[in-house]
PDB file of all heavy atoms in Angstrom:
ATOM      1  N   CYS A   1      75.742  54.025 214.931  1.00 94.00           N
ATOM      2  CA  CYS A   1      76.643  55.154 214.700  1.00 94.00           C
ATOM      3  C   CYS A   1      76.453  56.140 215.850  1.00 94.00           C
ATOM      4  O   CYS A   1      75.398  56.187 216.478  1.00 94.00           O
ATOM      5  CB  CYS A   1      76.354  55.833 213.357  1.00 94.00           C
ATOM      6  SG  CYS A   1      74.627  56.295 213.099  1.00 94.00           S
ATOM      7  N   THR A   2      77.483  56.903 216.092  1.00 93.00           N
ATOM      8  CA  THR A   2      77.461  57.869 217.188  1.00 93.00           C
ATOM      9  C   THR A   2      76.942  59.196 216.686  1.00 93.00           C
ATOM     10  O   THR A   2      77.481  59.784 215.747  1.00 93.00           O
ATOM     11  CB  THR A   2      78.868  58.041 217.786  1.00 93.00           C
ATOM     12  OG1 THR A   2      79.323  56.768 218.242  1.00 93.00           O
ATOM     13  CG2 THR A   2      78.854  59.021 218.942  1.00 93.00           C
ATOM     14  N   TYR A   3      75.887  59.675 217.339  1.00 94.00           N
ATOM     15  CA  TYR A   3      75.162  60.866 216.865  1.00 94.00           C
ATOM     16  C   TYR A   3      75.967  62.143 217.077  1.00 94.00           C
ATOM     17  O   TYR A   3      76.760  62.270 218.011  1.00 94.00           O
ATOM     18  CB  TYR A   3      73.840  60.958 217.628  1.00 94.00           C
ATOM     19  CG  TYR A   3      72.974  62.123 217.219  1.00 94.00           C
ATOM     20  CD1 TYR A   3      72.326  62.136 215.993  1.00 94.00           C
ATOM     21  CD2 TYR A   3      72.791  63.207 218.076  1.00 94.00           C
ATOM     22  CE1 TYR A   3      71.515  63.199 215.630  1.00 94.00           C
ATOM     23  CE2 TYR A   3      71.984  64.264 217.724  1.00 94.00           C
ATOM     24  CZ  TYR A   3      71.350  64.266 216.489  1.00 94.00           C
ATOM     25  OH  TYR A   3      70.562  65.323 216.128  1.00 94.00           O
ATOM     26  N   GLY A   4      75.711  63.104 216.194  1.00 89.00           N
ATOM     27  CA  GLY A   4      76.293  64.441 216.341  1.00 89.00           C
ATOM     28  C   GLY A   4      77.761  64.450 215.989  1.00 89.00           C
ATOM     29  O   GLY A   4      78.138  64.144 214.867  1.00 89.00           O
ATOM     30  N   VAL A   5      78.600  64.816 216.960  1.00 85.00           N
ATOM     31  CA  VAL A   5      80.043  64.772 216.725  1.00 85.00           C
ATOM     32  C   VAL A   5      80.477  63.319 216.905  1.00 85.00           C
ATOM     33  O   VAL A   5      81.005  62.919 217.931  1.00 85.00           O
ATOM     34  CB  VAL A   5      80.801  65.715 217.687  1.00 85.00           C
ATOM     35  CG1 VAL A   5      82.286  65.700 217.352  1.00 85.00           C
ATOM     36  CG2 VAL A   5      80.261  67.126 217.562  1.00 85.00           C
ATOM     37  N   GLY A   6      80.202  62.528 215.879  1.00 88.00           N
ATOM     38  CA  GLY A   6      80.514  61.107 215.863  1.00 88.00           C
ATOM     39  C   GLY A   6      80.467  60.635 214.430  1.00 88.00           C
ATOM     40  O   GLY A   6      80.338  61.431 213.495  1.00 88.00           O
ATOM     41  N   ASP A   7      80.549  59.329 214.217  1.00 91.00           N
ATOM     42  CA  ASP A   7      80.626  58.823 212.856  1.00 91.00           C
ATOM     43  C   ASP A   7      79.312  58.961 212.092  1.00 91.00           C
ATOM     44  O   ASP A   7      79.247  58.638 210.910  1.00 91.00           O
ATOM     45  CB  ASP A   7      81.101  57.370 212.845  1.00 91.00           C
ATOM     46  CG  ASP A   7      80.258  56.473 213.742  1.00 91.00           C
ATOM     47  OD1 ASP A   7      79.692  56.968 214.727  1.00 91.00           O
ATOM     48  OD2 ASP A   7      80.180  55.269 213.454  1.00 91.00           O
ATOM     49  N   GLN A   8      78.252  59.441 212.747  1.00 94.00           N
ATOM     50  CA  GLN A   8      77.016  59.744 212.032  1.00 94.00           C
ATOM     51  C   GLN A   8      77.155  60.994 211.171  1.00 94.00           C
ATOM     52  O   GLN A   8      76.420  61.178 210.210  1.00 94.00           O
ATOM     53  CB  GLN A   8      75.874  59.932 213.050  1.00 94.00           C
ATOM     54  CG  GLN A   8      74.542  60.360 212.474  1.00 94.00           C
ATOM     55  CD  GLN A   8      74.253  61.848 212.704  1.00 94.00           C
ATOM     56  OE1 GLN A   8      74.992  62.532 213.412  1.00 94.00           O
ATOM     57  NE2 GLN A   8      73.193  62.341 212.107  1.00 94.00           N
ATOM     58  N   MET A   9      78.149  61.840 211.472  1.00 96.00           N
ATOM     59  CA  MET A   9      78.238  63.161 210.849  1.00 96.00           C
ATOM     60  C   MET A   9      79.455  63.276 209.933  1.00 96.00           C
ATOM     61  O   MET A   9      80.485  62.646 210.161  1.00 96.00           O
ATOM     62  CB  MET A   9      78.276  64.244 211.932  1.00 96.00           C
ATOM     63  CG  MET A   9      78.174  65.667 211.406  1.00 96.00           C
ATOM     64  SD  MET A   9      76.801  65.934 210.242  1.00 96.00           S
ATOM     65  CE  MET A   9      75.388  65.549 211.276  1.00 96.00           C
ATOM     66  N   ALA A  10      79.320  64.075 208.887  1.00 97.00           N
ATOM     67  CA  ALA A  10      80.403  64.384 207.945  1.00 97.00           C
ATOM     68  C   ALA A  10      79.947  65.575 207.121  1.00 97.00           C
ATOM     69  O   ALA A  10      78.785  65.993 207.194  1.00 97.00           O
ATOM     70  CB  ALA A  10      80.697  63.191 207.036  1.00 97.00           C
ATOM     71  N   HIS A  11      80.872  66.130 206.336  1.00 97.00           N
ATOM     72  CA  HIS A  11      80.452  67.153 205.384  1.00 97.00           C
ATOM     73  C   HIS A  11      79.722  66.521 204.195  1.00 97.00           C
ATOM     74  O   HIS A  11      78.817  67.113 203.619  1.00 97.00           O
ATOM     75  CB  HIS A  11      81.661  67.943 204.868  1.00 97.00           C
ATOM     76  CG  HIS A  11      82.224  68.898 205.866  1.00 97.00           C
ATOM     77  ND1 HIS A  11      83.514  68.789 206.353  1.00 97.00           N
ATOM     78  CD2 HIS A  11      81.684  69.977 206.491  1.00 97.00           C
ATOM     79  CE1 HIS A  11      83.747  69.779 207.218  1.00 97.00           C
ATOM     80  NE2 HIS A  11      82.651  70.504 207.321  1.00 97.00           N
ATOM     81  N   TYR A  12      80.155  65.298 203.845  1.00 98.00           N
ATOM     82  CA  TYR A  12      79.501  64.573 202.754  1.00 98.00           C
ATOM     83  C   TYR A  12      79.763  63.086 202.963  1.00 98.00           C
ATOM     84  O   TYR A  12      80.905  62.670 203.174  1.00 98.00           O
ATOM     85  CB  TYR A  12      80.056  65.006 201.391  1.00 98.00           C
ATOM     86  CG  TYR A  12      79.184  64.590 200.223  1.00 98.00           C
ATOM     87  CD1 TYR A  12      77.979  65.232 199.983  1.00 98.00           C
ATOM     88  CD2 TYR A  12      79.556  63.547 199.379  1.00 98.00           C
ATOM     89  CE1 TYR A  12      77.162  64.857 198.928  1.00 98.00           C
ATOM     90  CE2 TYR A  12      78.750  63.163 198.316  1.00 98.00           C
ATOM     91  CZ  TYR A  12      77.554  63.822 198.098  1.00 98.00           C
ATOM     92  OH  TYR A  12      76.747  63.455 197.052  1.00 98.00           O
ATOM     93  N   ASN A  13      78.691  62.284 202.935  1.00 97.00           N
ATOM     94  CA  ASN A  13      78.831  60.856 203.229  1.00 97.00           C
ATOM     95  C   ASN A  13      78.623  60.038 201.954  1.00 97.00           C
ATOM     96  O   ASN A  13      77.495  59.839 201.508  1.00 97.00           O
ATOM     97  CB  ASN A  13      77.836  60.417 204.292  1.00 97.00           C
ATOM     98  CG  ASN A  13      78.111  59.006 204.775  1.00 97.00           C
ATOM     99  OD1 ASN A  13      78.933  58.292 204.215  1.00 97.00           O
ATOM    100  ND2 ASN A  13      77.410  58.594 205.822  1.00 97.00           N
ATOM    101  N   VAL A  14      79.696  59.543 201.388  1.00 98.00           N
ATOM    102  CA  VAL A  14      79.610  58.837 200.106  1.00 98.00           C
ATOM    103  C   VAL A  14      79.010  57.444 200.233  1.00 98.00           C
ATOM    104  O   VAL A  14      78.550  56.868 199.241  1.00 98.00           O
ATOM    105  CB  VAL A  14      80.997  58.738 199.435  1.00 98.00           C
ATOM    106  CG1 VAL A  14      81.507  60.111 199.053  1.00 98.00           C
ATOM    107  CG2 VAL A  14      81.995  58.011 200.334  1.00 98.00           C
ATOM    108  N   ASN A  15      79.022  56.873 201.446  1.00 97.00           N
ATOM    109  CA  ASN A  15      78.522  55.503 201.642  1.00 97.00           C
ATOM    110  C   ASN A  15      77.080  55.438 202.121  1.00 97.00           C
ATOM    111  O   ASN A  15      76.537  54.341 202.293  1.00 97.00           O
ATOM    112  CB  ASN A  15      79.384  54.757 202.670  1.00 97.00           C
ATOM    113  CG  ASN A  15      80.758  54.398 202.150  1.00 97.00           C
ATOM    114  OD1 ASN A  15      80.989  54.401 200.942  1.00 97.00           O
ATOM    115  ND2 ASN A  15      81.673  54.099 203.056  1.00 97.00           N
ATOM    116  N   ALA A  16      76.425  56.568 202.331  1.00 96.00           N
ATOM    117  CA  ALA A  16      75.104  56.575 202.975  1.00 96.00           C
ATOM    118  C   ALA A  16      74.058  55.799 202.192  1.00 96.00           C
ATOM    119  O   ALA A  16      73.068  55.338 202.769  1.00 96.00           O
ATOM    120  CB  ALA A  16      74.638  58.015 203.184  1.00 96.00           C
ATOM    121  N   GLY A  17      74.254  55.629 200.901  1.00 96.00           N
ATOM    122  CA  GLY A  17      73.274  54.920 200.086  1.00 96.00           C
ATOM    123  C   GLY A  17      73.622  53.482 199.795  1.00 96.00           C
ATOM    124  O   GLY A  17      72.920  52.820 199.019  1.00 96.00           O
ATOM    125  N   LEU A  18      74.673  52.958 200.416  1.00 97.00           N
ATOM    126  CA  LEU A  18      75.120  51.591 200.127  1.00 97.00           C
ATOM    127  C   LEU A  18      74.969  50.689 201.347  1.00 97.00           C
ATOM    128  O   LEU A  18      75.471  51.003 202.425  1.00 97.00           O
ATOM    129  CB  LEU A  18      76.591  51.578 199.701  1.00 97.00           C
ATOM    130  CG  LEU A  18      76.904  51.775 198.220  1.00 97.00           C
ATOM    131  CD1 LEU A  18      78.410  51.727 198.001  1.00 97.00           C
ATOM    132  CD2 LEU A  18      76.225  50.715 197.368  1.00 97.00           C
ATOM    133  N   PRO A  19      74.295  49.535 201.213  1.00 97.00           N
ATOM    134  CA  PRO A  19      74.206  48.580 202.318  1.00 97.00           C
ATOM    135  C   PRO A  19      75.509  47.814 202.485  1.00 97.00           C
ATOM    136  O   PRO A  19      76.295  47.666 201.543  1.00 97.00           O
ATOM    137  CB  PRO A  19      73.073  47.645 201.880  1.00 97.00           C
ATOM    138  CG  PRO A  19      73.146  47.677 200.386  1.00 97.00           C
ATOM    139  CD  PRO A  19      73.555  49.081 200.025  1.00 97.00           C
ATOM    140  N   LYS A  20      75.707  47.303 203.666  1.00 96.00           N
ATOM    141  CA  LYS A  20      76.949  46.594 203.985  1.00 96.00           C
ATOM    142  C   LYS A  20      77.172  45.399 203.056  1.00 96.00           C
ATOM    143  O   LYS A  20      78.301  45.133 202.631  1.00 96.00           O
ATOM    144  CB  LYS A  20      76.898  46.117 205.431  1.00 96.00           C
ATOM    145  CG  LYS A  20      78.209  45.567 205.964  1.00 96.00           C
ATOM    146  CD  LYS A  20      79.169  46.674 206.371  1.00 96.00           C
ATOM    147  CE  LYS A  20      78.764  47.285 207.702  1.00 96.00           C
ATOM    148  NZ  LYS A  20      79.721  48.311 208.163  1.00 96.00           N
ATOM    149  N   THR A  21      76.094  44.669 202.731  1.00 95.00           N
ATOM    150  CA  THR A  21      76.261  43.469 201.911  1.00 95.00           C
ATOM    151  C   THR A  21      76.732  43.784 200.501  1.00 95.00           C
ATOM    152  O   THR A  21      77.383  42.943 199.864  1.00 95.00           O
ATOM    153  CB  THR A  21      74.947  42.676 201.852  1.00 95.00           C
ATOM    154  OG1 THR A  21      73.862  43.571 201.550  1.00 95.00           O
ATOM    155  CG2 THR A  21      74.672  41.981 203.170  1.00 95.00           C
ATOM    156  N   LEU A  22      76.413  44.963 199.989  1.00 96.00           N
ATOM    157  CA  LEU A  22      76.890  45.325 198.652  1.00 96.00           C
ATOM    158  C   LEU A  22      78.283  45.934 198.708  1.00 96.00           C
ATOM    159  O   LEU A  22      79.078  45.779 197.770  1.00 96.00           O
ATOM    160  CB  LEU A  22      75.914  46.297 197.983  1.00 96.00           C
ATOM    161  CG  LEU A  22      76.241  46.719 196.549  1.00 96.00           C
ATOM    162  CD1 LEU A  22      76.428  45.515 195.636  1.00 96.00           C
ATOM    163  CD2 LEU A  22      75.153  47.639 196.000  1.00 96.00           C
ATOM    164  N   ILE A  23      78.611  46.626 199.788  1.00 96.00           N
ATOM    165  CA  ILE A  23      79.931  47.246 199.920  1.00 96.00           C
ATOM    166  C   ILE A  23      81.041  46.215 199.759  1.00 96.00           C
ATOM    167  O   ILE A  23      82.059  46.466 199.102  1.00 96.00           O
ATOM    168  CB  ILE A  23      80.045  47.976 201.277  1.00 96.00           C
ATOM    169  CG1 ILE A  23      79.275  49.306 201.213  1.00 96.00           C
ATOM    170  CG2 ILE A  23      81.503  48.234 201.660  1.00 96.00           C
ATOM    171  CD1 ILE A  23      79.242  50.070 202.519  1.00 96.00           C
ATOM    172  N   GLN A  24      80.850  45.035 200.335  1.00 93.00           N
ATOM    173  CA  GLN A  24      81.872  43.998 200.213  1.00 93.00           C
ATOM    174  C   GLN A  24      82.151  43.666 198.751  1.00 93.00           C
ATOM    175  O   GLN A  24      83.302  43.478 198.345  1.00 93.00           O
ATOM    176  CB  GLN A  24      81.412  42.746 200.959  1.00 93.00           C
ATOM    177  CG  GLN A  24      81.158  42.974 202.438  1.00 93.00           C
ATOM    178  CD  GLN A  24      80.597  41.745 203.120  1.00 93.00           C
ATOM    179  OE1 GLN A  24      81.109  40.651 202.943  1.00 93.00           O
ATOM    180  NE2 GLN A  24      79.539  41.925 203.893  1.00 93.00           N
ATOM    181  N   HIS A  25      81.092  43.595 197.951  1.00 95.00           N
ATOM    182  CA  HIS A  25      81.257  43.238 196.539  1.00 95.00           C
ATOM    183  C   HIS A  25      81.854  44.386 195.739  1.00 95.00           C
ATOM    184  O   HIS A  25      82.617  44.158 194.791  1.00 95.00           O
ATOM    185  CB  HIS A  25      79.918  42.799 195.968  1.00 95.00           C
ATOM    186  CG  HIS A  25      79.408  41.521 196.555  1.00 95.00           C
ATOM    187  ND1 HIS A  25      79.849  40.287 196.142  1.00 95.00           N
ATOM    188  CD2 HIS A  25      78.528  41.292 197.556  1.00 95.00           C
ATOM    189  CE1 HIS A  25      79.249  39.345 196.851  1.00 95.00           C
ATOM    190  NE2 HIS A  25      78.445  39.933 197.722  1.00 95.00           N
ATOM    191  N   VAL A  26      81.495  45.612 196.097  1.00 96.00           N
ATOM    192  CA  VAL A  26      82.086  46.760 195.402  1.00 96.00           C
ATOM    193  C   VAL A  26      83.600  46.779 195.628  1.00 96.00           C
ATOM    194  O   VAL A  26      84.384  47.009 194.695  1.00 96.00           O
ATOM    195  CB  VAL A  26      81.448  48.081 195.879  1.00 96.00           C
ATOM    196  CG1 VAL A  26      82.166  49.282 195.261  1.00 96.00           C
ATOM    197  CG2 VAL A  26      79.964  48.116 195.518  1.00 96.00           C
ATOM    198  N   ILE A  27      84.023  46.520 196.862  1.00 96.00           N
ATOM    199  CA  ILE A  27      85.467  46.505 197.152  1.00 96.00           C
ATOM    200  C   ILE A  27      86.150  45.371 196.392  1.00 96.00           C
ATOM    201  O   ILE A  27      87.240  45.551 195.827  1.00 96.00           O
ATOM    202  CB  ILE A  27      85.715  46.393 198.666  1.00 96.00           C
ATOM    203  CG1 ILE A  27      85.230  47.667 199.372  1.00 96.00           C
ATOM    204  CG2 ILE A  27      87.202  46.178 198.956  1.00 96.00           C
ATOM    205  CD1 ILE A  27      85.307  47.607 200.887  1.00 96.00           C
ATOM    206  N   ARG A  28      85.519  44.192 196.360  1.00 93.00           N
ATOM    207  CA  ARG A  28      86.113  43.090 195.591  1.00 93.00           C
ATOM    208  C   ARG A  28      86.220  43.451 194.109  1.00 93.00           C
ATOM    209  O   ARG A  28      87.200  43.113 193.446  1.00 93.00           O
ATOM    210  CB  ARG A  28      85.264  41.819 195.752  1.00 93.00           C
ATOM    211  CG  ARG A  28      85.339  41.178 197.136  1.00 93.00           C
ATOM    212  CD  ARG A  28      84.709  39.789 197.107  1.00 93.00           C
ATOM    213  NE  ARG A  28      84.658  39.205 198.451  1.00 93.00           N
ATOM    214  CZ  ARG A  28      83.573  39.171 199.217  1.00 93.00           C
ATOM    215  NH1 ARG A  28      82.448  39.700 198.781  1.00 93.00           N
ATOM    216  NH2 ARG A  28      83.620  38.627 200.420  1.00 93.00           N
ATOM    217  N   TRP A  29      85.203  44.115 193.606  1.00 94.00           N
ATOM    218  CA  TRP A  29      85.220  44.516 192.190  1.00 94.00           C
ATOM    219  C   TRP A  29      86.337  45.532 191.939  1.00 94.00           C
ATOM    220  O   TRP A  29      87.059  45.435 190.937  1.00 94.00           O
ATOM    221  CB  TRP A  29      83.865  45.108 191.800  1.00 94.00           C
ATOM    222  CG  TRP A  29      83.831  45.588 190.379  1.00 94.00           C
ATOM    223  CD1 TRP A  29      83.569  44.849 189.263  1.00 94.00           C
ATOM    224  CD2 TRP A  29      84.093  46.920 189.921  1.00 94.00           C
ATOM    225  NE1 TRP A  29      83.653  45.633 188.144  1.00 94.00           N
ATOM    226  CE2 TRP A  29      83.974  46.910 188.517  1.00 94.00           C
ATOM    227  CE3 TRP A  29      84.420  48.118 190.561  1.00 94.00           C
ATOM    228  CZ2 TRP A  29      84.162  48.056 187.748  1.00 94.00           C
ATOM    229  CZ3 TRP A  29      84.612  49.252 189.793  1.00 94.00           C
ATOM    230  CH2 TRP A  29      84.482  49.220 188.409  1.00 94.00           C
ATOM    231  N   ILE A  30      86.507  46.499 192.843  1.00 95.00           N
ATOM    232  CA  ILE A  30      87.581  47.488 192.686  1.00 95.00           C
ATOM    233  C   ILE A  30      88.946  46.809 192.729  1.00 95.00           C
ATOM    234  O   ILE A  30      89.864  47.177 191.991  1.00 95.00           O
ATOM    235  CB  ILE A  30      87.472  48.578 193.774  1.00 95.00           C
ATOM    236  CG1 ILE A  30      86.183  49.391 193.576  1.00 95.00           C
ATOM    237  CG2 ILE A  30      88.681  49.510 193.731  1.00 95.00           C
ATOM    238  CD1 ILE A  30      85.889  50.354 194.705  1.00 95.00           C
ATOM    239  N   ALA A  31      89.050  45.783 193.584  1.00 93.00           N
ATOM    240  CA  ALA A  31      90.315  45.040 193.649  1.00 93.00           C
ATOM    241  C   ALA A  31      90.657  44.435 192.291  1.00 93.00           C
ATOM    242  O   ALA A  31      91.832  44.364 191.899  1.00 93.00           O
ATOM    243  CB  ALA A  31      90.225  43.944 194.706  1.00 93.00           C
ATOM    244  N   ARG A  32      89.620  43.998 191.559  1.00 90.00           N
ATOM    245  CA  ARG A  32      89.853  43.384 190.251  1.00 90.00           C
ATOM    246  C   ARG A  32      89.939  44.406 189.127  1.00 90.00           C
ATOM    247  O   ARG A  32      90.733  44.262 188.197  1.00 90.00           O
ATOM    248  CB  ARG A  32      88.725  42.395 189.917  1.00 90.00           C
ATOM    249  CG  ARG A  32      88.606  41.232 190.873  1.00 90.00           C
ATOM    250  CD  ARG A  32      87.624  40.192 190.335  1.00 90.00           C
ATOM    251  NE  ARG A  32      86.339  40.773 189.957  1.00 90.00           N
ATOM    252  CZ  ARG A  32      85.323  40.933 190.788  1.00 90.00           C
ATOM    253  NH1 ARG A  32      85.450  40.582 192.061  1.00 90.00           N
ATOM    254  NH2 ARG A  32      84.177  41.448 190.367  1.00 90.00           N
ATOM    255  N   GLU A  33      89.086  45.446 189.185  1.00 90.00           N
ATOM    256  CA  GLU A  33      88.902  46.317 188.027  1.00 90.00           C
ATOM    257  C   GLU A  33      89.273  47.784 188.255  1.00 90.00           C
ATOM    258  O   GLU A  33      89.308  48.561 187.302  1.00 90.00           O
ATOM    259  CB  GLU A  33      87.423  46.278 187.586  1.00 90.00           C
ATOM    260  CG  GLU A  33      86.876  44.881 187.333  1.00 90.00           C
ATOM    261  CD  GLU A  33      87.457  44.260 186.080  1.00 90.00           C
ATOM    262  OE1 GLU A  33      88.001  45.002 185.243  1.00 90.00           O
ATOM    263  OE2 GLU A  33      87.361  43.018 185.926  1.00 90.00           O
ATOM    264  N   GLY A  34      89.504  48.181 189.510  1.00 80.00           N
ATOM    265  CA  GLY A  34      89.643  49.607 189.810  1.00 80.00           C
ATOM    266  C   GLY A  34      90.884  50.270 189.271  1.00 80.00           C
ATOM    267  O   GLY A  34      90.897  51.471 189.012  1.00 80.00           O
TER     268      GLY A  34
END
């Protein structure tokens, strides 16, 4: 990620606690159940 004024920064990061391997499954689950 790009530090400072880059994708490392936000006012609030909702994905910071999720690993990439689980994100794929969460999206698939939302596709079915969201």
